[in-house]
Amino acid sequence: MSKRVRSREVCADCSAPEPRWASVNRGVLICDECCSIHRGLGRHSSQVRHLTHSPWPHSQLQMVQTLYGNGANSIWEHSLLDPSSSVSGKRKANPQDRVHPNKTEFIKAKYQMLAYVHRMPCREDDSVTAKDLSKQLHSSVRTGNLETCLRLLSLGAQANFFHPEKGNTPLHIAAKAGQILQAELLAVYGADPGALDSSGKTPIDYARQAGHQELAERLVEIQYELTDRLTFYLCGRRPGKCSKSLSNHQFEELAMDVYDEVDRRETDAVWLATQNHSTLVTDTTVVPFLPVNPEYSSTRNQGRQKLARFSAHEFATLVIDILTDAKRRQWGNSCESPKDNVELILQGLDGHHNSEGQDNDQPDYDSVASDEDPVQEVNVSWKSSDLSDGPITVQEFMEVKSALTASEAKIQQLLKGCSLEGQSTVLENDYDTTPNHSELEESGPLAASEAAHQGEEGEEDATLPCTEDVICKTEQITKNIQELLRAAQETKHESFLPCSEKICMAVTEMAALFPKRPSSETVRGSLCLLTSSASRLHGECQKATEHNLSPSDIQLVTQQVIQCAYDIAKAAKQLVTVTTKENNN
């Protein structure tokens, strides 16, 4: 559906012609003046986007347009449609009303107080009412009747309701039925695309099994909406599908608060760009920080508001840390799916011929001090080379993360600014080139052998093998990794172990090309990563042969296998790069 505003559309709040904004969660279109008030309500009340200047997923825009066209506004103005409302003095705003106080009071009553929404008959047990509404929602999402589902949600139906008899959620049902607009609506109200049914399947699985591939792909996008949105805000592009002291619940709250702040800053930019310095751009329509959400504690609301005080560089630092820690928490430093990682790993390996000696481990960043705070903080300034076209790889983000590991105190100061009461985020390097003894015991003979080589007495050797030999061995490793990844894509877990044995043999042959005590620290680190990753890969592939693994265990093992393969690919590429560089000098 086109983003072009049609002439018959009017503002849902004051009936002004040609509204240019939408409230996504309310399913209505609004004019500039009413939008200036919506922005002050907060995302928990109204999520606003510009129809033509904000980025829109196609199906989400279609969902809003469908709701608007089918009279969703009557849900929020139900009692105003009653003829007796005019007798009682109740009326909606009109275009000629003043923004303050007329339109403001009406919009706050309509969306914050829900003053005009149809009320359910009072019952002693409200939880029973919510359960009944949620069951109705569970049944309704299989149809295309969006406004019915929005009405149920407005009355208190839960988007993540787990049906005790059916063993799944409304999003599972919508996905199975191919109802992409219902899925969009449920997602706006917090439905989880990764929720498991009683058999351990997600809505994404339901959509794929029913042949609704477009819907499945959209659900994957929704699942990564938070990290994708933060990445796009930070870098101007989407990532390739890819704080430790905070609990998961605290981290989730921080991530959502930062997401809301990103939305506020982006909407601010669109707002200013579309107003052309008209009379609307006044102090009364500015939203300088996140509005108070009454459902949150005063401490959290204070922290949310303090996010507005972060400079662009300071805010970028926090966003980067959340992105990398979100990846670690969800996948344990693994990426999203075996299919996505095939392209990621092979892309990294295919680039070794034209590396021209470039050291990919050197991050592009500048560390500068804040002019506003006496406490030194890490601030990131992206170089122009980082904004080139193309997908962002996991490696690029992990390199940026490594650049921010200088001091726990600096990140602690960032989180202190968010009023998280003494909690701090500890950043770690992704690759430790000096594994401890317990790690060596777990990782197997290759890693132990490599550590023994590094611990041997003798002089360091600066000689390196010829580039052609290293490339030849790298291509052999690449071929074996391709075979492993195909097995992962086709869920042939019985093939993991034979593939890993081939990879370990190729890694051993490649490592043998280099001296036992290389003088280059980069070579030592890459060799350690290469051999230890191969040993870990072998161990993970052995786990895949166990017969009592659950589907979730198999998925976790597969993710670990993919991550080990990525580490091997990274180390091999590093060795090709440094060898080419040294031999060309």
Side-chain angles (χ1 to χ4, degrees):
M1 183 176 292
S2 171
K3 291 184 181 180
R4 183 175 58 83
V5 180
R6 295 175 297 222
S7 59
R8 73 171 185 270
E9 294 173 344
V10 298
C11 174
D13 296 335
C14 74
S15 302
E18 299 184 1
R20 301 195 299 170
W21 295 81
S23 175
V24 182
N25 57 323
R26 303 301 184 179
V28 297
L29 306 185
I30 51 179
C31 67
D32 286 13
E33 283 195 349
C34 291
C35 178
S36 70
I37 303 166
H38 276 252
R39 292 176 59 228
L41 301 180
R43 293 188 75 253
H44 54 284
S45 291
S46 182
Q47 301 171 18
V48 297
R49 282 189 177 178
H50 197 279
L51 288 172
T52 56
H53 286 71
S54 296
W56 279 87
H58 172 75
S59 52
Q60 188 181 72
L61 176 62
Q62 188 178 4
M63 180 267 291
V64 173
Q65 294 277 19
T66 301
L67 281 172
Y68 174 83
N70 290 336
N73 193 44
S74 63
I75 295 174
W76 315 112
E77 297 183 355
H78 176 84
S79 64
L80 293 180
L81 301 177
D82 187 342
S84 64
S85 63
S86 59
V87 178
S88 64
K90 294 180 180 178
R91 71 170 184 87
K92 71 181 295 175
N94 62 58
Q96 291 72 39
D97 282 338
R98 299 172 68 90
V99 174
H100 301 285
N102 305 68
K103 289 186 178 181
T104 300
E105 290 180 355
F106 171 73
I107 289 172
K108 286 185 175 181
K110 180 178 177 179
Y111 298 110
Q112 281 189 333
M113 308 301 294
L114 301 179
Y116 313 119
V117 171
H118 174 65
R119 299 293 180 182
M120 296 289 290
C122 294
R123 295 177 56 169
E124 294 181 1
D125 189 351
D126 289 338
S127 63
V128 174
T129 301
K131 185 176 181 180
D132 292 341
L133 289 169
S134 298
K135 284 188 174 181
Q136 291 182 47
L137 176 68
H138 190 278
S139 176
S140 297
V141 293
R142 70 179 73 250
T143 73
N145 198 332
L146 281 177
E147 57 274 23
T148 296
C149 292
L150 179 60
R151 191 179 303 275
L152 290 168
L153 289 164
S154 74
L155 294 173
Q158 299 300 305
N160 278 314
F161 173 73
F162 188 87
H163 199 295
E165 289 83 25
K166 306 294 184 181
N168 51 28
T169 70
L171 190 55
H172 284 93
I173 299 302
K176 183 177 181 180
Q179 294 290 346
I180 190 169
L181 301 190
Q182 295 282 23
E184 289 284 1
L185 178 61
L186 290 169
V188 166
Y189 277 82
D192 180 10
L196 300 178
D197 71 355
S198 55
S199 301
K201 295 180 180 179
T202 69
I204 298 172
D205 296 328
Y206 273 50
R208 285 175 176 158
Q209 290 173 2
H212 307 303
Q213 192 58 35
E214 180 185 355
L215 174 53
E217 292 175 358
R218 176 61 187 139
L219 288 174
V220 171
E221 290 178 1
I222 292 171
Q223 188 174 22
Y224 288 88
E225 181 181 8
L226 187 146
T227 51
D228 282 6
R229 180 81 177 271
L230 297 185
T231 302
F232 188 78
Y233 173 81
L234 193 67
C235 305
R237 58 183 182 175
R238 305 287 178 189
K241 296 285 191 239
C242 15
S243 64
K244 291 189 186 321
S245 63
L246 294 176
S247 68
N248 284 339
H249 176 70
Q250 290 170 323
F251 178 78
E252 181 179 305
E253 286 187 348
L254 173 62
M256 287 305 302
D257 291 346
V258 171
Y259 181 91
D260 287 351
E261 175 65 11
V262 163
D263 185 81
R264 185 194 70 82
R265 294 188 182 207
E266 287 187 333
T267 304
D268 250 1
V270 173
W271 175 257
L272 293 173
T274 57
Q275 297 311 304
N276 298 321
H277 305 288
S278 69
T279 55
L280 282 177
V281 187
T282 66
D283 291 339
T284 57
T285 59
V286 169
V287 183
F289 46 72
L290 290 174
V292 172
N293 187 333
E295 296 183 3
Y296 297 160
S297 66
S298 58
T299 301
R300 184 175 178 186
N301 274 311
Q302 290 170 6
R304 285 164 58 85
Q305 293 184 355
K306 287 183 179 180
L307 288 172
R309 296 173 57 186
F310 281 32
S311 69
H313 291 307
E314 292 165 342
F315 194 58
T317 302
L318 184 58
V319 168
I320 291 171
D321 189 47
I322 287 174
L323 285 167
T324 51
D325 204 10
K327 171 180 172 287
R328 179 191 65 79
R329 288 170 185 263
Q330 186 164 8
W331 298 115
N333 284 340
S334 295
C335 295
E336 183 258 334
S337 71
K339 181 177 180 180
D340 292 335
N341 283 275
V342 173
E343 297 179 0
L344 174 65
I345 295 176
L346 298 185
Q347 180 183 22
L349 286 171
D350 288 343
H352 64 69
H353 286 292
N354 56 13
S355 60
E356 297 298 326
Q358 180 182 358
D359 189 353
N360 289 323
D361 285 336
Q362 297 300 319
D364 291 329
Y365 71 98
D366 297 319
S367 182
V368 296
S370 170
D371 294 329
E372 302 173 358
D373 198 316
V375 179
Q376 296 291 309
E377 297 182 0
V378 176
N379 301 312
V380 177
S381 175
W382 293 87
K383 293 185 178 179
S384 59
S385 60
D386 287 323
L387 301 177
S388 57
D389 293 333
I392 295 177
T393 66
V394 174
Q395 180 181 346
E396 289 174 328
F397 265 102
M398 302 320 287
E399 288 172 350
V400 175
K401 178 181 176 182
S402 296
L404 301 175
T405 59
S407 172
E408 176 184 349
K410 296 172 183 176
I411 299 301
Q412 189 173 13
Q413 176 64 23
L414 280 176
L415 294 179
K416 182 179 179 182
C418 294
S419 298
L420 289 178
E421 299 180 334
Q423 297 294 334
S424 64
T425 298
V426 180
L427 294 175
E428 295 181 354
N429 286 315
D430 294 291
Y431 305 117
D432 185 356
T433 58
T434 56
N436 58 40
H437 293 296
S438 61
E439 289 173 337
L440 290 175
E441 291 174 359
E442 294 176 359
S443 57
L446 271 172
S449 173
E450 173 60 22
H453 285 324
Q454 292 191 6
E456 290 178 357
E457 296 296 332
E459 294 183 359
E460 294 180 346
D461 192 342
T463 59
L464 293 175
C466 70
T467 305
E468 289 74 14
D469 289 344
V470 177
I471 290 176
C472 179
K473 296 300 181 185
T474 299
E475 290 175 343
Q476 185 177 349
I477 292 174
T478 304
K479 180 180 177 181
N480 293 327
I481 286 179
Q482 287 175 327
E483 184 180 351
L484 175 65
L485 294 176
R486 279 193 293 270
Q489 282 183 288
E490 298 167 3
T491 64
K492 295 180 178 178
H493 304 112
E494 68 279 0
S495 301
F496 281 12
L497 191 57
C499 290
S500 73
E501 290 173 349
K502 294 179 184 178
I503 293 173
C504 287
M505 183 178 297
V507 165
T508 302
E509 292 175 356
M510 183 168 183
L513 296 175
F514 292 83
K516 292 184 177 180
R517 288 185 53 81
S519 59
S520 168
E521 183 177 347
T522 302
V523 172
R524 289 200 303 273
S526 298
L527 284 171
C528 182
L529 174 61
L530 182 74
T531 54
S532 63
S533 298
S535 293
R536 287 190 293 109
L537 174 69
H538 189 66
E540 294 295 335
C541 289
Q542 284 181 322
K543 293 180 184 178
T545 62
E546 299 176 6
H547 299 292
N548 59 344
L549 292 180
S550 65
S552 60
D553 290 335
I554 284 290
Q555 184 180 17
L556 179 60
V557 169
T558 301
Q559 294 297 334
Q560 294 300 323
V561 166
I562 294 300
Q563 181 62 36
C564 291
Y566 174 77
D567 291 345
I568 293 170
K570 176 184 173 70
K573 183 178 179 181
Q574 289 173 342
L575 290 171
V576 170
T577 299
V578 70
T579 303
T580 303
K581 180 178 179 180
E582 293 298 326
N583 288 338
N584 287 341
N585 288 341

